Amino acid sequence: MSAKVTLTITVGDLQGQQYIFAERTTCIIGRAQDCQIKIPNDEQHLSISRYHCLLDINPPSIRVRDFGSKNGTYLNGEKIGQRQKDQTPEDAAQMNFPEHDVKAGDIIKVGNTIFQVSINIPKNTPHPESHPSNPKGGFFLPSPPESPTCGKNSRIYSGDRK
């Protein structure tokens, strides 16, 4: 059994939806049809760019990078990237925004949608507190049940919506 990274939407219209990654992948969050984590392209989600941010996932490690979004990407309440108001999405696509390490329990916010990150490391792997993706320790949440495929290397689980 290998490590898994799970993103759970905790705030927003998609609350309860989960994305599970068990293999190395990159994943774009946004409103565009070809995003791996597709946010609805409707009036309630216009604050989320078509290609908002990039996740670089190699369980148990995960990194996030803004993709030149109009309204910014937030990690634990801190803005980690956003294009300038006078820049077009095409201009911003030429820029290289910094990547940020993400740990278990961290919160990623795009628009009004909030994702909570959990990392499941099986017992036969080194102790979680000693893993480079979790330098300060933290908590690890269990994986959700098996579910249909979402993107090439992930699964999606739609939990109860409140």
Side-chain angles (χ1 to χ4, degrees):
M1 184 180 213
S2 62
K4 293 180 185 173
V5 171
T6 302
L7 300 175
T8 303
I9 298 178
T10 59
V11 175
D13 290 346
L14 304 173
Q15 185 175 357
Q17 198 155 333
Q18 293 186 320
Y19 301 87
I20 302 165
F21 303 90
E23 297 176 15
R24 174 83 168 91
T25 190
T26 55
C27 177
I28 297 175
I29 298 175
R31 293 182 295 117
Q33 193 64 36
D34 57 341
C35 287
Q36 290 81 3
I37 297 182
K38 185 173 177 341
I39 305 297
N41 190 14
D42 59 23
E43 201 154 316
Q44 294 176 19
H45 298 95
L46 290 179
S47 62
I48 298 172
S49 296
R50 289 172 292 163
Y51 300 97
H52 199 97
C53 65
L54 172 75
L55 302 175
D56 182 2
I57 302 168
N58 189 10
S61 299
I62 177 172
R63 296 174 62 86
V64 62
R65 174 168 70 98
D66 188 80
F67 240 29
S69 65
K70 181 178 180 181
N71 295 306
T73 300
Y74 294 80
L75 179 61
N76 298 323
E78 179 181 333
K79 187 183 291 184
I80 60 166
Q82 176 181 11
R83 73 176 185 249
Q84 300 297 316
K85 293 191 185 297
D86 60 344
Q87 288 181 309
T88 66
E90 294 75 23
D91 292 338
Q94 303 304 315
M95 298 179 67
N96 194 8
F97 293 91
E99 290 187 346
H100 298 267
D101 291 323
V102 179
K103 302 180 304 303
D106 282 355
I107 302 294
I108 299 170
K109 181 176 184 267
V110 296
N112 292 325
T113 301
I114 296 177
F115 296 84
Q116 179 156 15
V117 177
S118 61
I119 300 172
N120 182 303
I121 300 177
K123 291 179 181 170
N124 61 348
T125 57
H127 198 270
E129 282 78 11
S130 65
H131 195 277
S133 71
N134 194 23
K136 296 181 181 175
F139 60 92
F140 293 80
L141 303 175
S143 306
E146 296 291 322
S147 54
T149 303
C150 170
K152 182 179 175 192
N153 295 319
S154 64
R155 293 191 319 271
I156 182 171
Y157 169 74
S158 296
D160 296 331
R161 293 187 185 174
K162 296 178 182 177

